[in-house]
Amino acid sequence: MVTARVPLTPHPDRLLPVGGAVRPIARRLYAAVRDLPIISPHGHVDARILRDDTPFTDPTALFIQPDHYVTRLLHAGGVALDRLGVGEGPLPEERAREAWRLFCANWPLFRGTPVQYWLASELAGIFGVTDRPDTADPDALYDQIAAQLSDVRNRPRALLDRFGITFLATTDDPADPLDAHAALAADPSVRTRVAPTFRPDRYLEVAGAGWVDAVKNLGAVAGVDTGHYDGYLAALEQRRRYFVAHGAVSADHGHADAAAIPLERAEAARLYAQALAGEVTAAAATAFRRHMIFEMARMSCEDGLVMTLHPGVYRNHHPATLAAFGPDTGHDIPTTVEFTRALRPLLERFGTHPNLHLVLFTVDPTVYAREIGPLAGFYPSLYAGVPWWFLDNPAAIRHFHESVTEIAGFGRLSGFIDDTRAFCSIPARHDMARRLDAGYLAGLVAAHRLDEDEALDTLTGLVRAQPRKVFKL
Amino acid sequence: MVTARVPLTPHPDRLLPVGGAVRPIARRLYAAVRDLPIISPHGHVDARILRDDTPFTDPTALFIQPDHYVTRLLHAGGVALDRLGVGEGPLPEERAREAWRLFCANWPLFRGTPVQYWLASELAGIFGVTDRPDTADPDALYDQIAAQLSDVRNRPRALLDRFGITFLATTDDPADPLDAHAALAADPSVRTRVAPTFRPDRYLEVAGAGWVDAVKNLGAVAGVDTGHYDGYLAALEQRRRYFVAHGAVSADHGHADAAAIPLERAEAARLYAQALAGEVTAAAATAFRRHMIFEMARMSCEDGLVMTLHPGVYRNHHPATLAAFGPDTGHDIPTTVEFTRALRPLLERFGTHPNLHLVLFTVDPTVYAREIGPLAGFYPSLYAGVPWWFLDNPAAIRHFHESVTEIAGFGRLSGFIDDTRAFCSIPARHDMARRLDAGYLAGLVAAHRLDEDEALDTLTGLVRAQPRKVFKL
Amino acid sequence: MVTARVPLTPHPDRLLPVGGAVRPIARRLYAAVRDLPIISPHGHVDARILRDDTPFTDPTALFIQPDHYVTRLLHAGGVALDRLGVGEGPLPEERAREAWRLFCANWPLFRGTPVQYWLASELAGIFGVTDRPDTADPDALYDQIAAQLSDVRNRPRALLDRFGITFLATTDDPADPLDAHAALAADPSVRTRVAPTFRPDRYLEVAGAGWVDAVKNLGAVAGVDTGHYDGYLAALEQRRRYFVAHGAVSADHGHADAAAIPLERAEAARLYAQALAGEVTAAAATAFRRHMIFEMARMSCEDGLVMTLHPGVYRNHHPATLAAFGPDTGHDIPTTVEFTRALRPLLERFGTHPNLHLVLFTVDPTVYAREIGPLAGFYPSLYAGVPWWFLDNPAAIRHFHESVTEIAGFGRLSGFIDDTRAFCSIPARHDMARRLDAGYLAGLVAAHRLDEDEALDTLTGLVRAQPRKVFKL
C-alpha cells in the first residue's frame, strides 16, 4: 500500500486515444464539445432535493450511501453494507467518518473501473481534492469536503447550474403529484428544465406485492375507478397526460423481458379481474404485463411520450441484502435479453408510426450487434440506447460503437444517458462519454473513414441535436 | 451541414492500422495482395445481367434500388422506401433523380458504417466522382455517372473484367435451367467463371407457402415424380448433379436454425406425404427440414458440393414492408444461433468425411469464439465463414479474427465472401477485407507473434489458396 | 512454403502493446513481475511423473501426444490422430519421429494461435531451439531435443525448479490414495508444494456409466457404506477431509450447467436409491447433480476447500474419436452458459459466507460482462476465473479485462490459472499472462486512468497476492 501522498490530478487528455496520429484529432474534437451544456434525459435524481435545495450533509451522504456502484464494490471487497450506511439517511458524524475512512482505504478496489474515474473527476473537479484518497488523511479529506458542502455555492441548485445541466429528467411513480417538479418549473431562478419520467412498472406487474393497493390508489389519484380493466387503462392514460402536462418527455419500462404481445380486450379484462381478486397465476401475470407493454406503445403513439425499455435484469438477487437494506443496493444482476422476437408484434403495429420513439437499453451487450443494431438500422421509430449501468465503462462504450454504429450509423443512437443516482457524477459521466466518442470518431478519421468535418458534426450532434431529437425536447 | 464542396478522395492507407510501427508492415502486406484477382464464391449477382450485358440504366438503379444496405439506412433515417424505388424496376428519370437527391442529402446517415466506405470507394474508384455526395450538386453527380453508364466500358461484363473477378458464384433456385450460366460458359469472351449455387431452402420448408407447387415443378424439371418421398430425394439429387454439371461448387442453406437431425426413412416419407396433403404441423415441418439438412450433408459427401449454412435470421420482420416491397428489403433481423448441439448428429456421421466441406456463417457473433472456432479447430470438414451481412464491418472482422483465428488458426477460414447484391461493391468489399486482414496480420508481426514472411504467406493464402481449397475450385 | 532456415528467437517485447507511449510503461511493469515465482492453483500435471521423476522419453511424448491443443489443430488440418500417437503411451522411435515431422511440417497451422506462441517459447526457452520448426530439419531438431531430455537437468523435478513453480495443483479422483502427493510432501528435496484437487464430477452424475461401481468403491476407500444417501454424503465429506489433510486447497466441478438447486433430504435420498438401482431418469439425474452442487458449496463452507466451477462444455462431441482415442482429445465443444439464475439458490444461502471462495470459469465469453462481472462485483465469496482453455489467447484475455475488470475491478480476479496438461507450457503460459496484464495496465496508465504505482501494485498483486488470497495458500 502506498503511504506517501500521491497527487490526484485528472489529466486533460485522460481517456483520449494514446496513438500519436489519433490523439491530436481527438483533442480537437473533444475541445469542441467539452463545454457544451448537459442534457440528461434519464436519471434518478430526486426532484425534491432540487426543490428544497437542501445542502448535502457530508461526504458520505454525497458519495457513498446513495451510490450502489460504490457500495457494491466495497461489499465485494469485504466491507459490510451496514458500515457504509446503505439504506439509511444521514449518519451520525462518527459513523459517516468511519464509512469515509473505509472508502478511502479501499480506494484500490475501484482501480480499473469507471467508478474510480468518475470519483476522481468529482473529487478533484468539484471539491478541489488534491490527494489520491488512498494516500490522503481521510479525516482531513472529510473535513475539506464537508466545509465546502456547507457553502451555498455547493447546494444542489447551484451545482445544477455549475454543471451546465439544461435538461434533467427524474424517474417517478405514476401516482406522484409532481409538486416538486411544478415548484421548480414555477421558479424563475431555476434555469434547468427538470422533467418527470413516467415509470409504471409496478402497476403492470399484477402479481407483484402491493399491486392491488397500488392500482386502487392510482385510480384515486387519477379520479377514475380502477376496479375494472377499462378504468385501469383510463387511469394510466390520465396519469400519462398529467405527466406530459408537467413536462415529462418519456415513459420508462424495466421488466424481466422485452416481450410486447397484445391480448384480446376481453382476455385482458378477465386477467385484470383475476388479479384484483388475488387469483392470478404467474403465467397470466406475465401475459398481462406483455400485453400492457404493447398498450404502453399504443399510448406513446397517442400522447407522444418517448418509450424507453431496459429489460433483462434479475432484481434483488440476494434476498438477505434486500431485507436488510432495501432495493437498488447493488445486487441486481443481468440476464440474457432478446428483442428480435419479443418486439415483433409491437413493431409490426407501431414500428413506422411517426409518433413513436422507442429507445432500447440493455445490460446484455450481446444484443448490440445481433439485434439492436439491425433493428435500429431499419425501423425509423427505434433508437439504440447508449450503454449504461454495468456497461457504462470505456471498453463497453467502444464495443457499443463497434457493434451498433457500424451497423446503424450514428443517427440511430440515443445520445448520452447518465442514468445515475449519484448527483455529482453527472458531469463526470457526460464528460467521459464526450471523450470516448471523440476518441472513437478520431479513430475513424485517422483510418480515413471519415473527414474531420464529418466527425466534428457527428460529435456535436451526439451531444446536442441527437438527444433533443430522440427525446423530443 | 457542410455546404462547400468537399473532395471525395479515398486515402491509399485507409483502414490500415494507425500505429507508427504497424502501418509500414501493413502497407507492405497489403501491397502484395492489392491487385490479386477476386474470387467470389458466394453472392447474389443475377447471371442474366451478365449474359445480356445490359447497361445499367442510371445511378439509382445501380447504387440504391437493389442494395438493402443503402435503403434500410435511409428508411431508418425517415425516407419512405417508395421514394427510393425499392422493389421496382428502372424508374422514370424524375423519380430516379429524386431518389438520388435523397441519397446524396442523407449521405451523413451512412457515417461510420461500411456502406459509406464502399460507396465512396465505388464512386471515386469506378466513376471518378471527386465531390463528397452530401456536398456535391446531386443532379450534376447523377449526370456524371449516368453518362458513364452508357459507355460500353461500364457494361456489366466490362466491369467484371475491370474488377479482376476470375470466379463469381450466383445463388439460384434448384429448378433454374441455368441457361444464363450455360451461355456465359460457352462464350469465350467471358473470362470470369460464373458458377451457379444450389439454394434449395424453399423446397425443404414443407409448410411454406407454395411448397406443394414448387416440389411438383421441381419434379417436372428433374423428370422425376415428386409425389412421394423417394422421388423428392431423387429430384433434389438430380438437380444437384445438374448444377454440378453447370459448374456449381456449393449448395447454400439458410433456415431458422442449424439443426441437422435425421429421421427414420419411413417417418420422413410419412411427413412428406402429410405435407403434400397440406396437413403438416409446424413442428413436423421443422422436423422434416432438420432431417433434410442432414440429407443435404449426405448428398454433399456424394456429389462434392460444398455445404454452406447461415441460420438464425428472422426473415421479413415487418410484414407491411414485405407486402409493399417484397423480401430482402432490409428487415431481416438476426436472432441467437446455436451450432454445438445442432450440428452434432451431422458431424458424428460426416464430420471427418473427406468429401464434406461445411462452411458456417452467422450473424450472431457470439458463436465465433464459443462454437465456430472450437468446431473448426477440430473437424477437418468444417470451415469458419468470414463475417458477412450485418457483420461485414471493420470492427466485426477484427472481432472474428480475435475470436476464431486465435482458436483455430488461419487455415480454418473460408476466405473472403462478399455475399452482395450490389455489383459495384464487389471490389470495394474484397479490397476492404484485404486491408483489414493485412492490418490484423501486421499487428501480429508487430507484437512479435509472427514473422513477416509468415504473415505474407498467410495473407496471400487467404486471398488466393484458401477460397480455392475450401470451395474446391 | 519457406525453405531457408528462419531463426526462432522469441522477442523480449513480444505481446507488449505496440504504441509508442504505452510500450515503455508496459516494459517497466512486466520487468517487475517477469521473474516472480509461479503459483499454479489449477492444472492437469500428473503427480506421479513428479514423484517418479521419470525422464520424458522423446519430443513427441513431451510436446504432441498429451497436448490436445496441438493435436486438435493438426487433426483439423488433415492429420489423423493415430499418426500422432494420441491416446497411446511412448511411441517406437520411428513413429515418434514421423509424428514430429508432421508437427514441424504443419507448424503454419498454428499461426495466429497461442499454441504457436507457447511452443515457440518452450522450444527456444527450455531447449535452445534456434530454427523455426517449419524451416528446420525435423530429424535434427528431434535429435537435439531428445539429447537434452536424457539430461538429468531436464527431468520433471529439475524443470519444476527451473520453472520457478512454488505451488502446483493437480486434478484428482476423490478415491485417489494421493500417495504420490504424500511422497512429494515427504521429500525435502522437492521445494514445490504439489497439492491435489478434489474433482468429484463422476460421483455426482448418477446416470453416468460406471457410477454404481464408482460410489461403491468410494465407500470402500472412505470406510463408509455408500449404499444409502447419508453414507454417500459422508463418504464425500470424508474424502474431502482426506484431500485437505494431503494439502488440497480446492474442489473442482465441471458439469453441463452451473445450476445449484437444493432438494429436500428425503427427495435426494429417494433419487439416490433409484440411481443405485439403475432406475434413475435423465431428468432425475440432473436434479440430483444440481442438488449435489449445492451440497458441495455447503461442504466448502465447512471444510474450506475453494470451489471452482467450469460448466458448459459438450464433452466428446465426436463419438468415433472418443471410441478410438479416449476423452480429452480435442473435441469438447463449448455451449452457452448461464450463471445468474443457476447460482441464485447457492448464493442466497452461502454468498456472503466467510469460508466460501467460489471461482467461476467459462468457455462462453458472453457471460463475462453480463453475469460474472456483476456477480463478482457484489458477492464477496465470488471470484472471476481468468480465461482458460479456448479463451486462453491474447484477444480473449484483453476482452476479459475489458468485460470483468471494468465492472468488478482487479480485486475480484482469480489470478492466472494455466489449466494445462502440457508440462512445459506452464512457464510460457504464466509469462504470457504477465505480459498481457502488464500491457493492459500500461494502457490504463497511458490513458491516465491509473497512476503507474497503482498499476505496478496491481500487477504484482495479480501474480503474487491474489492467487494466494483466492486459493487460501
Side-chain angles (χ1 to χ4, degrees):
Chain A
M1 188 62 65
V2 178
T3 50
R5 288 189 187 181
V6 175
L8 185 74
T9 51
H11 194 281
D13 284 339
R14 62 194 188 277
L15 289 184
L16 297 186
V18 173
V22 190
R23 180 163 280 190
I25 306 169
R27 275 191 190 135
R28 288 193 294 272
L29 295 173
Y30 170 62
V33 296
R34 185 184 50 211
D35 300 321
L36 291 182
I38 288 174
I39 298 170
S40 175
H42 181 85
H44 294 272
V45 171
D46 185 337
R48 283 163 297 201
I49 72 156
L50 298 171
R51 180 193 59 192
D52 303 340
D53 206 25
T54 325
F56 297 107
T57 53
D58 61 74
T60 296
L62 184 59
F63 286 111
I64 304 174
Q65 288 175 277
D67 191 350
H68 59 67
Y69 283 71
V70 170
T71 58
R72 72 173 177 80
L73 286 171
L74 292 172
H75 181 260
V79 181
L81 294 180
D82 54 0
R83 299 181 71 189
L84 301 170
V86 172
E88 300 186 62
L91 300 176
E93 181 173 343
E94 194 38 47
R95 280 191 63 208
R97 282 187 182 274
E98 179 54 25
W100 184 256
R101 286 178 207 123
L102 285 166
F103 167 79
C104 291
N106 285 289
W107 183 254
L109 291 178
F110 305 122
R111 286 179 191 165
T113 70
V115 182
Q116 188 180 72
Y117 177 87
W118 298 321
L119 288 169
S121 292
E122 296 163 46
L123 291 170
I126 306 173
F127 295 100
V129 172
T130 55
D131 290 344
R132 214 171 67 200
D134 56 337
T135 71
D137 173 339
D139 281 286
L141 206 54
Y142 185 97
D143 292 334
Q144 178 186 346
I145 298 168
Q148 295 185 64
L149 289 177
S150 62
D151 187 321
V152 69
R153 287 170 301 183
N154 289 315
R155 287 214 186 162
R157 285 196 192 178
L159 288 176
L160 209 57
D161 264 4
R162 192 167 147 196
F163 294 166
I165 301 174
T166 56
F167 180 87
L168 180 75
T170 62
T171 298
D172 307 278
D173 191 285
D176 192 295
L178 303 181
D179 47 332
H181 296 83
L184 287 163
D187 185 339
S189 77
V190 177
R191 284 177 292 189
T192 304
R193 180 176 160 196
V194 180
T197 299
F198 188 79
R199 174 75 179 264
D201 291 7
R202 69 189 189 109
Y203 298 95
L204 312 186
E205 297 278 8
V206 297
W211 178 80
V212 172
D213 290 341
V215 294
K216 191 168 183 185
N217 178 55
L218 188 76
V221 171
V224 177
D225 176 10
T226 54
H228 51 86
Y229 174 66
D230 288 344
Y232 166 76
L233 283 189
L236 286 166
E237 289 169 342
Q238 198 279 341
R239 292 308 294 169
R240 291 175 64 106
R241 285 194 299 272
Y242 185 85
F243 269 62
V244 170
H246 283 74
V249 299
S250 73
D252 181 49
H253 307 276
H255 297 280
D257 61 55
I261 306 172
L263 301 173
E264 294 294 323
R265 195 209 147 280
E267 173 67 2
R270 194 178 66 78
L271 295 183
Y272 185 81
Q274 283 183 352
L276 275 187
E279 293 166 355
V280 76
T281 64
T286 297
F288 187 82
R289 184 250 296 160
R290 291 173 175 172
H291 165 73
M292 285 307 299
I293 294 296
F294 188 90
E295 284 294 295
M296 289 288 123
R298 172 187 63 75
M299 293 182 197
S300 274
C301 290
E302 289 169 9
D303 60 27
L305 284 177
V306 175
M307 183 175 196
T308 60
L309 283 186
H310 48 96
V313 178
Y314 195 112
R315 302 275 173 181
N316 302 309
H317 196 266
H318 193 238
T321 297
L322 173 66
F325 304 100
D328 300 318
T329 45
H331 50 105
D332 293 346
I333 307 292
T335 62
T336 51
V337 165
E338 201 280 333
F339 286 115
T340 301
R341 290 189 178 87
L343 291 177
R344 219 202 54 72
L346 189 161
L347 291 168
E348 175 175 1
R349 189 82 67 91
F350 307 115
T352 56
H353 193 291
N355 274 11
L356 184 67
H357 284 195
L358 174 62
V359 188
L360 303 185
F361 294 95
T362 182
V363 281
D364 173 3
T366 67
V367 293
Y368 282 139
R370 188 177 60 223
E371 302 175 30
I372 291 181
L375 287 165
F378 176 76
Y379 287 102
S381 61
L382 194 150
Y383 293 92
V386 299
W388 72 5
W389 206 348
F390 291 109
L391 303 177
D392 46 13
N393 59 63
I397 290 170
R398 196 185 67 238
H399 171 73
F400 168 78
H401 277 308
E402 292 180 347
S403 301
V404 173
T405 309
E406 290 265 9
I407 290 174
F410 291 97
R412 311 307 306 150
L413 310 187
S414 67
F416 185 67
I417 304 289
D418 58 71
D419 183 37
T420 190
R421 294 166 198 278
F423 185 58
C424 285
S425 77
I426 296 175
R429 285 165 174 265
H430 283 261
D431 181 70
M432 187 174 98
R434 292 172 189 190
R435 290 172 180 273
L436 294 170
D437 288 355
Y440 181 72
L441 284 156
L444 296 182
V445 173
H448 308 290
R449 293 182 58 189
L450 274 188
D451 293 329
E452 191 167 330
D453 74 276
E454 294 175 292
L456 183 63
D457 180 64
T458 300
L459 182 59
T460 52
L462 284 175
V463 171
R464 203 159 42 188
Q466 197 68 10
R468 291 190 185 283
K469 176 187 163 193
V470 175
F471 286 91
K472 303 181 178 179
L473 306 184
Chain B
M1 189 61 67
V2 178
T3 49
R5 288 190 187 180
V6 174
L8 185 74
T9 50
H11 193 281
D13 283 340
R14 62 193 187 276
L15 290 183
L16 298 187
V18 174
V22 190
R23 181 163 280 191
I25 306 169
R27 274 189 189 136
R28 288 193 295 271
L29 294 174
Y30 170 62
V33 296
R34 184 183 53 211
D35 300 321
L36 291 183
I38 289 175
I39 298 170
S40 176
H42 180 85
H44 294 272
V45 171
D46 185 338
R48 283 164 297 200
I49 72 157
L50 298 172
R51 180 193 59 193
D52 302 340
D53 206 24
T54 324
F56 297 107
T57 54
D58 61 72
T60 295
L62 184 58
F63 286 112
I64 304 175
Q65 289 175 276
D67 191 350
H68 59 66
Y69 283 71
V70 170
T71 58
R72 72 173 177 80
L73 287 171
L74 293 171
H75 180 261
V79 181
L81 293 179
D82 55 0
R83 301 181 70 190
L84 301 170
V86 172
E88 301 187 61
L91 300 176
E93 181 173 343
E94 195 36 48
R95 282 192 62 207
R97 280 188 183 274
E98 179 53 26
W100 184 257
R101 287 179 208 121
L102 285 166
F103 168 78
C104 291
N106 285 289
W107 183 254
L109 291 178
F110 304 124
R111 285 179 191 164
T113 69
V115 183
Q116 189 180 72
Y117 177 88
W118 298 321
L119 288 169
S121 292
E122 297 164 45
L123 292 169
I126 306 174
F127 297 99
V129 172
T130 56
D131 291 346
R132 213 170 69 200
D134 56 337
T135 70
D137 174 340
D139 282 285
L141 205 55
Y142 185 97
D143 292 334
Q144 178 187 344
I145 297 168
Q148 295 185 63
L149 289 177
S150 63
D151 188 320
V152 69
R153 287 170 302 184
N154 289 314
R155 288 214 187 162
R157 285 196 192 177
L159 287 176
L160 208 58
D161 265 6
R162 194 167 146 194
F163 294 166
I165 301 174
T166 56
F167 180 87
L168 180 76
T170 61
T171 297
D172 307 278
D173 191 284
D176 193 295
L178 304 180
D179 48 332
H181 297 81
L184 287 163
D187 185 337
S189 77
V190 178
R191 282 178 292 189
T192 305
R193 178 176 161 196
V194 181
T197 298
F198 189 79
R199 175 75 179 262
D201 292 6
R202 70 190 188 108
Y203 299 95
L204 311 187
E205 298 278 8
V206 299
W211 177 81
V212 171
D213 290 342
V215 293
K216 192 169 182 182
N217 179 55
L218 188 76
V221 171
V224 176
D225 175 11
T226 54
H228 51 85
Y229 175 66
D230 288 345
Y232 165 77
L233 282 188
L236 286 166
E237 289 168 342
Q238 197 278 341
R239 292 308 294 168
R240 291 175 65 105
R241 287 193 298 271
Y242 186 85
F243 270 62
V244 170
H246 284 73
V249 298
S250 72
D252 181 48
H253 308 275
H255 298 280
D257 61 55
I261 306 173
L263 301 173
E264 293 293 322
R265 195 209 146 281
E267 173 67 1
R270 195 179 66 80
L271 296 183
Y272 184 81
Q274 282 183 351
L276 276 187
E279 293 166 354
V280 76
T281 64
T286 296
F288 187 82
R289 184 251 295 160
R290 290 174 174 172
H291 165 73
M292 284 307 299
I293 294 296
F294 188 90
E295 284 294 295
M296 289 289 123
R298 172 186 62 77
M299 293 183 199
S300 274
C301 291
E302 290 169 8
D303 61 27
L305 283 177
V306 175
M307 182 175 197
T308 60
L309 283 186
H310 47 95
V313 177
Y314 196 112
R315 302 277 173 180
N316 303 308
H317 196 265
H318 193 239
T321 298
L322 174 66
F325 304 101
D328 300 319
T329 45
H331 50 106
D332 294 345
I333 307 292
T335 62
T336 51
V337 166
E338 200 280 334
F339 286 115
T340 301
R341 290 189 179 87
L343 290 177
R344 218 202 53 73
L346 189 161
L347 291 168
E348 175 175 3
R349 189 81 68 93
F350 307 116
T352 56
H353 194 291
N355 275 11
L356 184 67
H357 284 195
L358 174 63
V359 188
L360 303 185
F361 294 95
T362 182
V363 282
D364 173 2
T366 68
V367 294
Y368 282 139
R370 188 178 59 223
E371 303 175 29
I372 291 181
L375 287 166
F378 175 76
Y379 288 102
S381 62
L382 194 150
Y383 294 93
V386 300
W388 70 6
W389 205 348
F390 290 109
L391 302 178
D392 46 12
N393 59 64
I397 290 170
R398 197 186 66 239
H399 172 72
F400 169 78
H401 277 309
E402 293 180 347
S403 301
V404 173
T405 309
E406 290 266 8
I407 290 174
F410 291 97
R412 312 306 306 153
L413 311 186
S414 67
F416 186 66
I417 304 289
D418 56 71
D419 182 39
T420 191
R421 295 165 197 278
F423 185 56
C424 285
S425 78
I426 295 176
R429 286 166 173 264
H430 284 262
D431 181 69
M432 187 174 98
R434 292 172 189 189
R435 290 173 181 274
L436 294 170
D437 288 355
Y440 181 72
L441 283 156
L444 296 182
V445 173
H448 308 291
R449 293 182 57 189
L450 274 188
D451 293 329
E452 191 167 330
D453 74 276
E454 294 176 291
L456 184 63
D457 180 64
T458 301
L459 182 60
T460 53
L462 284 176
V463 172
R464 203 159 42 190
Q466 197 68 10
R468 291 189 185 285
K469 175 188 164 193
V470 175
F471 286 91
K472 305 180 178 178
L473 306 183
Chain C
M1 190 60 67
V2 177
T3 50
R5 288 188 187 180
V6 174
L8 184 75
T9 51
H11 194 283
D13 283 339
R14 62 194 188 275
L15 289 183
L16 298 187
V18 174
V22 190
R23 180 163 281 191
I25 306 170
R27 274 188 190 136
R28 288 193 294 272
L29 295 174
Y30 170 62
V33 297
R34 185 183 51 211
D35 300 322
L36 291 182
I38 289 175
I39 298 170
S40 176
H42 181 85
H44 295 272
V45 171
D46 185 336
R48 284 163 297 201
I49 71 157
L50 298 172
R51 180 192 59 192
D52 303 340
D53 206 25
T54 325
F56 297 107
T57 54
D58 61 74
T60 296
L62 185 58
F63 286 110
I64 304 175
Q65 288 175 275
D67 192 350
H68 59 66
Y69 284 71
V70 169
T71 58
R72 71 174 177 79
L73 286 171
L74 292 171
H75 181 260
V79 181
L81 293 180
D82 55 0
R83 299 182 70 190
L84 300 171
V86 173
E88 301 186 62
L91 300 177
E93 181 173 344
E94 194 38 47
R95 282 192 63 207
R97 280 187 183 274
E98 179 53 26
W100 183 256
R101 286 178 207 123
L102 285 166
F103 167 80
C104 291
N106 285 290
W107 183 254
L109 292 178
F110 305 123
R111 287 179 191 165
T113 69
V115 183
Q116 189 180 71
Y117 177 89
W118 297 321
L119 288 169
S121 293
E122 296 164 46
L123 290 170
I126 306 174
F127 296 99
V129 172
T130 56
D131 291 345
R132 214 171 68 201
D134 56 338
T135 70
D137 173 339
D139 281 285
L141 207 54
Y142 185 97
D143 292 334
Q144 177 185 345
I145 297 168
Q148 295 184 64
L149 289 178
S150 62
D151 188 321
V152 69
R153 288 170 301 182
N154 289 314
R155 287 213 186 164
R157 285 196 192 179
L159 288 176
L160 208 57
D161 264 4
R162 195 167 146 195
F163 294 167
I165 301 174
T166 56
F167 180 87
L168 180 76
T170 62
T171 298
D172 307 278
D173 191 285
D176 192 294
L178 304 181
D179 48 332
H181 296 83
L184 288 163
D187 185 338
S189 76
V190 177
R191 282 178 292 189
T192 305
R193 178 176 161 197
V194 180
T197 298
F198 189 79
R199 175 77 179 262
D201 292 6
R202 69 189 187 111
Y203 298 95
L204 312 187
E205 297 278 8
V206 298
W211 177 80
V212 172
D213 291 341
V215 294
K216 190 167 182 184
N217 178 55
L218 188 75
V221 171
V224 176
D225 176 11
T226 55
H228 52 83
Y229 174 67
D230 288 345
Y232 165 76
L233 283 189
L236 287 166
E237 288 168 342
Q238 197 278 342
R239 292 308 294 168
R240 290 175 65 106
R241 286 194 297 271
Y242 186 85
F243 269 62
V244 170
H246 282 73
V249 298
S250 72
D252 181 49
H253 307 276
H255 297 279
D257 61 56
I261 306 173
L263 301 173
E264 293 293 322
R265 196 209 146 280
E267 174 67 2
R270 195 178 64 81
L271 296 183
Y272 184 81
Q274 282 183 351
L276 275 187
E279 292 167 356
V280 76
T281 63
T286 296
F288 187 81
R289 184 251 295 160
R290 290 172 175 173
H291 164 72
M292 284 307 298
I293 294 296
F294 189 90
E295 284 294 295
M296 289 289 124
R298 172 186 64 76
M299 293 181 198
S300 275
C301 291
E302 290 170 8
D303 61 27
L305 284 177
V306 175
M307 183 175 197
T308 60
L309 282 186
H310 48 97
V313 177
Y314 195 113
R315 302 277 172 181
N316 302 308
H317 197 266
H318 193 239
T321 297
L322 174 66
F325 303 101
D328 300 319
T329 46
H331 51 105
D332 293 344
I333 307 292
T335 62
T336 51
V337 164
E338 200 279 334
F339 286 114
T340 301
R341 290 187 179 88
L343 291 177
R344 218 203 53 73
L346 188 162
L347 292 168
E348 175 175 0
R349 188 81 68 93
F350 307 115
T352 56
H353 193 291
N355 274 11
L356 184 66
H357 284 195
L358 174 62
V359 189
L360 303 184
F361 294 94
T362 182
V363 282
D364 173 1
T366 68
V367 294
Y368 282 139
R370 188 179 59 222
E371 303 175 30
I372 291 181
L375 287 166
F378 176 76
Y379 287 102
S381 62
L382 194 151
Y383 293 92
V386 299
W388 72 5
W389 205 347
F390 291 110
L391 303 178
D392 46 11
N393 59 64
I397 290 170
R398 197 187 65 240
H399 172 71
F400 169 77
H401 277 308
E402 293 180 347
S403 301
V404 173
T405 309
E406 291 264 9
I407 290 173
F410 291 97
R412 311 306 306 152
L413 310 187
S414 66
F416 185 66
I417 304 289
D418 58 71
D419 183 38
T420 190
R421 293 166 199 278
F423 184 58
C424 285
S425 78
I426 295 175
R429 286 166 172 263
H430 284 262
D431 181 69
M432 187 174 97
R434 293 173 189 190
R435 290 172 180 274
L436 294 170
D437 288 355
Y440 181 72
L441 283 157
L444 296 182
V445 174
H448 308 292
R449 293 182 58 189
L450 274 188
D451 292 329
E452 192 166 329
D453 74 276
E454 294 176 291
L456 183 63
D457 180 63
T458 301
L459 182 60
T460 52
L462 285 175
V463 171
R464 202 160 42 188
Q466 197 68 10
R468 290 191 186 282
K469 175 188 163 191
V470 175
F471 286 92
K472 304 181 178 178
L473 306 183

